Amino acid sequence: MIHSKKEFTGGIVLLVIFFIVLFAMFQPLFDGHNSMAYLDNLYNSISKGSAHYGEALKEEAKTVAGYQIDVTVNMENEAQAADSVALITAAGAVAKSEGKALSVKGDYVAILNACLEDSDKMYNNDGAALKVKYPAYEGKDDRQVLYNWYKILSGFDKALKKQEAFAQAKVAVNMNAKVVETAYNYYKVVPEEIKDKAGIVTFSLAFYVIYTMWYGFAILFVFEGWGLKISGH
């Protein structure tokens, strides 16, 4: 038995509107994307604008200037090791692959700067430039160069720590975390300034709060109208 038809009906109406809006949110109404995908892309674009640490890492690399690296790192497979030789030799260092092992000798900062240069191109969505620079990567995923750099730097970290070259290892770790991963994850995302999207950002945040409260009040009215109430007795 309905305790309050007015309150119960109001709650049902709110629920119906809630689910109509929810259905609309999953329709491709925003340039072929639903609202969730559109907002996800929007916030990725905004966050990309504040996630570029290339210049900071270039300065950090200078702290290990003059260091000559001589390490052997294990790659995931023979093909990756062979492809990675091109990355190191383009930096003016010496590299040789044997099975999954990649041996590297040369100026450490020159290698780091080559990685920074490639990451910067990918951060700016210019994967085509790396295909020109490294013909061996033609036909492969645009981000393969960055993935190989990631594995190389991870290998540097392990090998340099074994050599007790901790300062040099730290630079490799930071470059992976702040530059290579960032460029990899944000590839093909077009950066946006939040000031240029202030309206839609404000609307989306306000909508989230109101929409959540809308559902809560709808359920509250339905149950109260139905006669279900929390009581301490």
Side-chain angles (χ1 to χ4, degrees):
M1 183 176 179
I2 304 302
H3 175 72
S4 173
K5 289 185 178 180
K6 181 179 179 181
E7 203 167 15
F8 182 81
T9 301
I12 292 296
V13 170
L14 289 177
L15 276 178
V16 169
I17 296 173
F18 176 89
F19 284 108
I20 289 174
V21 173
L22 183 64
F23 176 79
M25 287 168 60
F26 283 94
Q27 302 309 303
L29 303 176
F30 302 91
D31 296 326
H33 298 91
N34 63 41
S35 60
M36 304 298 182
Y38 172 78
L39 290 175
D40 184 55
N41 291 335
L42 173 64
Y43 283 105
N44 279 340
S45 297
I46 291 172
S47 63
K48 181 175 182 177
S50 59
H52 192 244
Y53 301 98
E55 288 302 318
L57 265 296
K58 196 168 187 177
E59 291 301 312
E60 185 174 339
K62 292 179 181 178
T63 63
V64 293
Y67 184 79
Q68 295 295 308
I69 193 169
D70 185 354
V71 298
T72 297
V73 302
N74 289 317
M75 307 300 281
E76 290 182 347
N77 51 59
E78 293 184 12
Q80 187 183 52
D83 288 345
S84 296
V85 170
L87 307 184
I88 302 300
T89 55
V94 177
K96 181 179 68 173
S97 67
E98 187 173 341
K100 295 191 295 184
L102 177 70
S103 300
V104 179
K105 293 182 181 180
D107 186 273
Y108 188 43
V109 174
I111 295 171
L112 294 176
N113 284 337
C115 177
L116 280 170
E117 182 181 328
D118 290 351
S119 298
D120 190 61
K121 283 183 171 63
M122 289 295 284
Y123 183 85
N124 290 298
N125 302 323
D126 191 8
L130 295 189
K131 295 292 180 68
V132 174
K133 183 177 180 180
Y134 305 114
Y137 287 82
E138 187 65 42
K140 298 181 181 180
D141 187 288
D142 287 356
R143 295 182 293 182
Q144 188 64 47
V145 169
L146 284 184
Y147 185 67
N148 287 0
W149 271 122
Y150 179 86
K151 297 301 293 186
I152 291 169
L153 292 178
S154 295
F156 282 179
D157 173 43
K158 294 177 183 178
L160 290 170
K161 283 177 179 175
K162 288 181 180 179
Q163 297 176 2
E164 298 187 358
F166 299 112
Q168 288 78 7
K170 183 180 179 182
V171 176
V173 171
N174 289 343
M175 187 165 296
N176 253 352
K178 296 181 179 180
V179 176
V180 178
E181 286 185 20
T182 299
Y184 186 96
N185 292 331
Y186 281 113
Y187 182 56
K188 290 191 175 179
V189 174
V190 179
E192 298 272 8
E193 293 287 340
I194 191 169
K195 63 182 180 181
D196 297 329
K197 298 292 182 178
I200 187 63
V201 169
T202 301
F203 172 80
S204 65
L205 294 175
F207 176 81
Y208 175 78
V209 174
I210 295 170
Y211 193 59
T212 303
M213 292 176 63
W214 186 293
Y215 181 76
F217 276 109
I219 295 296
L220 175 67
F221 292 155
V222 167
F223 282 115
E224 285 195 344
W226 198 1
L228 299 177
K229 293 185 179 182
I230 297 176
S231 174
H233 302 289

